[in-house]
Amino acid sequence: MENLQLGKAFTLIEPGPVLFVTTNDAQKDNVMTISWSMVLDFEASFAITTGPWNYSYAALEKTKECVLAIPTAEMIDAVVGVGTCSGKDTDKFQKFGLTPLQANHVQAPRIKECLANIECRVVDIVSHYNIVILEGVAASLDPSHKDKRLLHAIGDGTFTVDSHKIDRREAMRSKLPNGV
Amino acid sequence: MENLQLGKAFTLIEPGPVLFVTTNDAQKDNVMTISWSMVLDFEASFAITTGPWNYSYAALEKTKECVLAIPTAEMIDAVVGVGTCSGKDTDKFQKFGLTPLQANHVQAPRIKECLANIECRVVDIVSHYNIVILEGVAASLDPSHKDKRLLHAIGDGTFTVDSHKIDRREAMRSKLPNGV
């Protein structure tokens, strides 16, 4: 994993990929699959929808830290596996072949097998809507990661995989933040 | 456009596609491009990030209505065009060849060329985070739409296009809401 400029972290979330959210409750690491996430600004602020029905929520609420890790298409079985069992009774890192990597600013682990990781602090919880507000504090990316195709959950048990890219940088120039 | 069961509307937003958001301020129709959106629950509740810097925001705030319209890959030029000019001085429907279709429950128009449309009411604005909370009241889908590939904005002026689908319905069954 190499450092990624924090001002580019939103480009990992804006396309709407399935994410892993890792936590560490001072006893153990845990990870959940999330597909309800959103960018809030160009400064690495994000929102995710979660609540007490997710076992990871207690750790999020208590530690106010997590890592958003971005899996790619070849990791589909880990994505589905992590999303369909609970950290309450399962070591999901071990079960699904995910390697925890120490993060630089939070206790929650990064995931070695992922394309990228964003270390985050929980800055607020809008509990009426189950929205958790995150502030990215560091980002890292694996430039040697061969598969860069993100996964998008449909929500009915199917997922789409990224295909080719369309470049409209020139036309979009007036709307892009500096340095992106 | 055929009616789509409202309980399936979240499957249009969960994959994280670029969206059009239409409004009608009682004077004229308008449309903006949004890629910061999120599902809040299985009952057609959504969040989008927007604020006074978008011309459409005034209409959203005043009328408390909009339509989320889902474009597909062949509409990339309309997506970029709509996203890089303002309804303040441009009739974007005319300029980008989009056809407004009367909605059933809101004054904001649906878009005929889109794969699907979700008619929404604004139920709240979490202004500190520029989050607009939407409740879908009706959804429609064009079953004859040939191109079903969604577009995902990266945020740097490039977009990825959906490729093939991976089916994990059986493995995900325990996590899916009824009827999806």
Side-chain angles (χ1 to χ4, degrees), chain A residues 67-140:
Chain A
V67 170
L68 303 180
I70 290 95
T72 48
E74 90 285 3
M75 297 174 73
I76 180 70
D77 291 322
V79 165
V80 170
V82 165
T84 51
C85 68
S86 174
K88 191 173 176 181
D89 50 27
T90 309
D91 178 343
K92 298 201 239 181
F93 281 87
Q94 186 174 32
K95 184 164 183 182
F96 300 108
L98 301 174
T99 311
L101 267 188
Q102 187 160 7
N104 294 308
H105 299 271
V106 299
Q107 294 302 310
R110 297 180 293 168
I111 300 178
K112 187 182 171 192
E113 288 75 15
C114 282
L115 171 64
N117 287 270
I118 309 172
E119 303 178 30
C120 295
R121 293 195 206 289
V122 174
V123 294
D124 200 357
I125 297 178
V126 185
S127 53
H128 187 66
Y129 296 110
N130 302 302
I131 296 174
V132 176
I133 308 288
L134 302 175
E135 179 191 14
V137 292
S140 50

Side-chain angles (χ1 to χ4, degrees), chain B residues 20 33 71 74-84 92 96-98:
Chain B
F20 287 131
T33 300
E74 90 286 1
M75 295 174 74
I76 180 70
D77 291 323
V79 165
V80 170
V82 165
T84 50
K92 297 201 240 182
F96 300 107
L98 301 174

Side-chain angles (χ1 to χ4, degrees), chain A residues 14 35-36 124 159 161 163 166, chain B residues 14 35-36 159 161 163 166:
Chain A
E14 177 157 335
S35 47
W36 296 355
D124 200 357
F159 298 79
V161 177
S163 158
I166 301 177
Chain B
E14 178 157 334
S35 47
W36 296 356
F159 297 80
V161 177
S163 160
I166 300 176

Side-chain angles (χ1 to χ4, degrees), chain A residues 11 14-15 35-37 39 49 77 83 124 129 152-154 156-159 161 163-166 168-169 175, chain B residues 11 14-15 35-37 39 49 77 83 124 129 152-154 156-159 161 163-166 168-169 175:
Chain A
T11 65
E14 177 157 335
S35 47
W36 296 355
S37 71
V39 176
T49 304
D77 291 322
D124 200 357
Y129 296 110
H152 304 273
I154 307 300
D156 63 354
T158 67
F159 298 79
V161 177
S163 158
H164 64 287
K165 221 176 223 194
I166 301 177
R168 288 294 186 276
R169 279 194 185 91
K175 294 290 178 181
Chain B
T11 65
E14 178 157 334
S35 47
W36 296 356
S37 70
V39 176
T49 304
D77 291 323
D124 200 357
Y129 297 111
H152 305 272
I154 307 299
D156 63 355
T158 67
F159 297 80
V161 177
S163 160
H164 64 287
K165 222 177 222 194
I166 300 176
R168 289 293 186 278
R169 280 194 184 88
K175 295 289 179 180

